[in-house]
Amino acid sequence: MSNCARLAGIKKVASMKGTPPQAAEHVSTIPYAEDVFSIKMMKQYLAKDTYKKLAATITRNTPLDASIAGEVAHAMKEWALDRGCTHYTHWFQPLTGVTAEKHDSFVDFDNGEPIMSFSGKNLIVGEPDASSFPSGGIRSTAEARGYTAWDPTSPAFIKRHGSGATLCIPTAFCSYTGEALDKKTPLLRSMQALSASTKRLMKCFGMPDENVTITLGVEQEYFLVDKAFYLARPDLVQCGRTLFGAASAKHQQLEDHYFGSIPGRILDFMHDVEIELWKLGIPAKTRHNEVAPAQFELAPLFETVNVACDHNMLVMETLQQVADRHGLVCLLHEKPFAGVNGSGKHNNWSVNYGKKNLLNPGDNPQDNAVFLTVLTAIIAAIDKHADLLRCSVASAANDHRLGANEAPPAIISMYLGDQLAAIVDSLEKGTAAAKKSGGVMKVGVDMLPPLPKDSTDRNRTSPFAFTGNKFEFRAPGSSQSCSSCNTVLDTIVAEAFDEMADVLETFPAASFHTKLQDHLREVIKAHKRVIFNGDGYTAEWPLEAAKRGLPNARTAPEAAKAFLKEENIALYEKYKVLNRRELESRYEIAVEDYTRRLAIEANMALDIAGSMILPAAKAEYSETLDAYAKAEATGIASGTAALKAEAIELGAALDALRSNLVALSNAIPGKSEGIVSAMTALRTTVDTLEKRIADDKWPLPKYREMLFVY
Ligand code: ADP
Ligand code: MG
């Protein structure tokens, strides 16, 4: 029974006597994974030997046997043709942050006769002319070709569009010289690194060799607005967020939207999204209203990390496409509306050894020892490399969210929950607190008290929280690919596991647990500053964090500098995840992306304020002046004072608007801080005018419409 149920005085229902009646097995009518070249389909379409080789690559990560490519390609084509596909594409994730595809039809000619063909080479490598993707200087135009390479561990799938269908093959994308130009390649490399380190660490505990699986479940937040409103807001169309908009009287104060009953039109939309996702083999599970009005969430069940990252890209795409069919627009921007919560992703991550989740404390002293070792290593990893984790979620859009008292702060800290924090504390101090019966707890000998898996008492202000059997990283932005932060997580934890193994391997068997306990104590002492169980929204926390020496990169360009730190380059090179050149290129791309997005927003703000708001303000001003002049001319004294006051105020706002416009225009060629503050000043003036100008003259849909009418 959960703590919560206990508090509510709910009594445990006595278990039923006898066996409950067995429900007849229900045959599902859900077209689950209908459009996926799944293990089941591979078995059906491939010869037994070929199937076995491919399955080994997929489930046990053995290298792909190139000799089977031709046969696999043929089977995949047959399967796709049976399902109406005419084209295929390598589907990849360049550093733009969105997915990319270049379609080719299966059509070919054999002695003048049209045939449908798809070769092993077509499956394994592609050569999209990729000179326009960001490469941060890696690829000069002379060597413009990028190569896509099949990732057999993420299943091929079919994208349907009207009456057509395209076979999509998940691929990595790299340059002629082998440098990664995408988000998948480093993730796959980091998975290999963590897999090797985990095996090494588990060997220290005498565990037999097993497969390592890194699992990820991504909760996705998003907004929905009616398409008619969206189309009337050039800022939403061009920037994905509103650059202007006064707060509506009611926004999220009443907290009545969160988990509220889902409006019919939205539920209809969600249902269609889920059916589409299920067809793609994406296990959509949870749906609910989020905190802000018009904000919602979708969460699938967890999967292997690279598949979950691919699937999250498809979730985002599906949300947007299905919304369009429902006359809605799905906004994935991190902060579409000021004054209400923005949207993020919760990255639920864990590492499994064979069938054992290493973040599950287990129920015997040996499992407890493994868990505490893994936990301690992760604490060290997060403390040592908080800058990399922060960097992995840095973007112009996420800057609006992190640290804005609705999302975790930009300071990376860890939340363990009271009970686990007490255990770690007593482990460090060698006190008895962790053991109910008194006496100091002995790692590997004593049992840990059971840890609650209750989600109710979670600290929502922490960026990195232990939630019973996984860590939940809450800083990623709603539009971001999860590949970046999981690449960091896998790599830094790989290093921490290796550092742990370096020491554990020297312990003689007889004193293993005593020495382990001493070592864990040392590591905790060195890294406990990153643990923070308090409220991350308070004004004291940044001060306290600074005292502890925790990094606090407030803006994306500042955070991106982590790519260039020598110790980070050394780490990434050691684990062959990214080399110096690849890291430098990623830094350049991050900074360039930030600058470009900011420039787009600044120019859009100028455009809207100059061509829509200014004319409306002038019309209102002129109408007021006319009325005042008329009142004066007729000699009617009443009303003239009010009209005069109105005209003066409107005139002043008009003056402010004009000077804000000039200031922003002057700021645009300069530094980003200047642009941001000029945009803020302009917004303040525009939002004030919104409340003063006649509703029928206001050229933009308002927050009270967009967020409440659907
Ligand atoms: P919340 O209470 O935050 O909504 P849930 O417990 O429902 O969280 O889980 C959120 C996500 O975490 C889901 O996608 C779920 O499948 C995933 N998850 C659960 N266990 C694990 C695990 N061991 N590894 C990775 N993800 C997990
Ligand atoms: Mg969560």
Side-chain angles (χ1 to χ4, degrees), residues 215-217 219 300-302 348 350 357 455 458 469-470 472:
T215 50
L216 172 69
E219 300 163 64
L301 292 171
F302 66 91
N348 295 275
S350 79
N357 177 356
S455 60
R458 281 193 210 158
N469 62 352
K470 57 185 162 51
E472 184 168 333

Side-chain angles (χ1 to χ4, degrees), residues 6-7 33 89 97 233 331 455 475 479 586 597 690:
R6 227 189 316 272
L7 285 174
T89 180
R233 293 279 322 205
L331 303 175
S455 60
S479 71
R586 268 153 222 256
R597 281 180 200 274
E690 186 187 316

Side-chain angles (χ1 to χ4, degrees), residues 7 25 81-82 150 170 197 219 338 358 362 370 374 391 426 447 455 457 499 510 515 519 530 553 581 636 684 691 696:
L7 285 174
E25 197 179 316
L81 292 178
D82 285 349
W150 181 34
S197 305
E219 300 163 64
L358 298 179
V370 171
V374 164
C391 171
S426 74
M447 275 287 292
S455 60
D457 64 341
E499 285 177 353
K515 284 195 167 347
H519 182 58
V530 77
R581 199 161 169 229
I636 298 174
T684 307
K691 305 264 178 183
D696 63 332

Side-chain angles (χ1 to χ4, degrees), residues 105-393:
S105 76
F106 289 118
V107 170
D108 210 341
F109 286 89
D110 185 26
N111 286 326
E113 285 299 310
I115 53 161
M116 297 305 241
S117 114
F118 185 54
S119 69
K121 187 174 170 292
N122 292 154
L123 168 65
I124 290 184
V125 280
E127 292 182 31
D129 176 17
S131 49
S132 294
F133 288 114
S135 76
I138 278 189
R139 214 187 34 222
S140 62
T141 22
E143 45 181 56
R145 275 199 184 291
Y147 288 81
T148 48
W150 181 34
D151 168 16
T153 62
S154 183
F157 58 92
I158 293 172
K159 259 195 200 181
R160 301 199 173 273
H161 30 86
S163 57
T166 300
L167 169 67
C168 298
I169 300 150
T171 54
F173 178 50
C174 52
S175 74
Y176 178 71
T177 43
E179 272 122 348
L181 294 173
D182 70 344
K183 305 218 169 201
K184 185 190 264 284
T185 306
L187 177 64
L188 294 174
R189 292 174 182 164
S190 73
M191 289 165 67
Q192 266 175 17
L194 182 53
S195 170
S197 305
T198 307
K199 285 176 184 237
R200 195 181 151 205
L201 183 60
M202 290 307 114
K203 209 169 162 195
C204 299
F205 288 89
M207 314 240 289
D209 188 47
E210 295 268 16
N211 285 320
V212 176
T213 321
I214 305 152
T215 50
L216 172 69
V218 187
E219 300 163 64
Q220 173 74 49
E221 293 177 342
Y222 58 93
F223 279 87
L224 289 172
V225 294
D226 191 281
K227 200 171 175 181
F229 291 139
Y230 172 84
L231 293 176
R233 293 279 322 205
D235 45 2
L236 278 184
V237 174
Q238 292 255 301
C239 310
R241 77 174 179 108
T242 55
L243 299 172
F244 304 109
S248 49
K250 174 180 188 283
H251 42 92
Q252 62 184 45
Q253 311 93 318
L254 304 181
E255 293 171 337
D256 51 350
H257 187 67
Y258 189 56
F259 284 9
S261 91
I262 304 171
R265 182 179 180 193
I266 305 298
L267 201 50
D268 223 17
F269 155 83
M270 288 175 167
H271 175 76
D272 280 1
V273 167
E274 284 152 6
I275 298 286
E276 299 270 307
L277 294 179
W278 290 339
K279 282 187 197 164
L280 290 169
I282 301 173
K285 179 78 175 167
T286 309
R287 60 189 186 199
H288 62 80
N289 289 3
E290 256 303 327
V291 172
Q295 191 186 30
F296 307 93
E297 182 181 301
L298 179 153
L301 292 171
F302 66 91
E303 303 178 277
T304 308
V305 63
N306 67 318
V307 175
C309 285
D310 283 357
H311 280 174
N312 179 252
M313 299 307 286
L314 287 172
V315 164
M316 292 194 282
E317 190 174 320
T318 306
L319 284 169
Q320 288 174 312
Q321 286 177 353
V322 175
D324 188 60
R325 295 210 297 267
H326 285 253
L328 294 162
V329 174
C330 174
L331 303 175
L332 292 169
H333 192 283
E334 280 69 10
K335 193 76 181 180
F337 303 98
V340 296
N341 280 13
S343 301
K345 262 177 219 197
H346 289 178
N347 191 89
N348 295 275
W349 175 95
S350 79
V351 192
N352 301 265
Y353 193 64
K355 288 195 165 48
K356 185 178 152 61
N357 177 356
L358 298 179
L359 288 174
N360 196 332
D363 49 17
N364 62 65
Q366 171 67 6
D367 281 356
N368 290 170
V370 171
F371 167 72
L372 288 172
T373 305
V374 164
L375 178 77
T376 305
I378 296 175
I379 293 171
I382 305 300
D383 182 42
K384 269 179 89 173
H385 300 293
D387 60 338
L388 276 175
L389 215 47
R390 167 68 181 93
C391 171
S392 73
V393 296

Side-chain angles (χ1 to χ4, degrees), residues 79-118:
W79 172 80
L81 292 178
D82 285 349
R83 282 154 186 79
C85 289
T86 53
H87 288 67
Y88 69 91
T89 180
H90 279 197
W91 182 77
F92 57 106
Q93 300 167 36
L95 295 169
T96 49
V98 292
T99 57
E101 45 193 69
K102 178 192 167 213
H103 298 202
D104 279 299
S105 76
F106 289 118
V107 170
D108 210 341
F109 286 89
D110 185 26
N111 286 326
E113 285 299 310
I115 53 161
M116 297 305 241
S117 114
F118 185 54

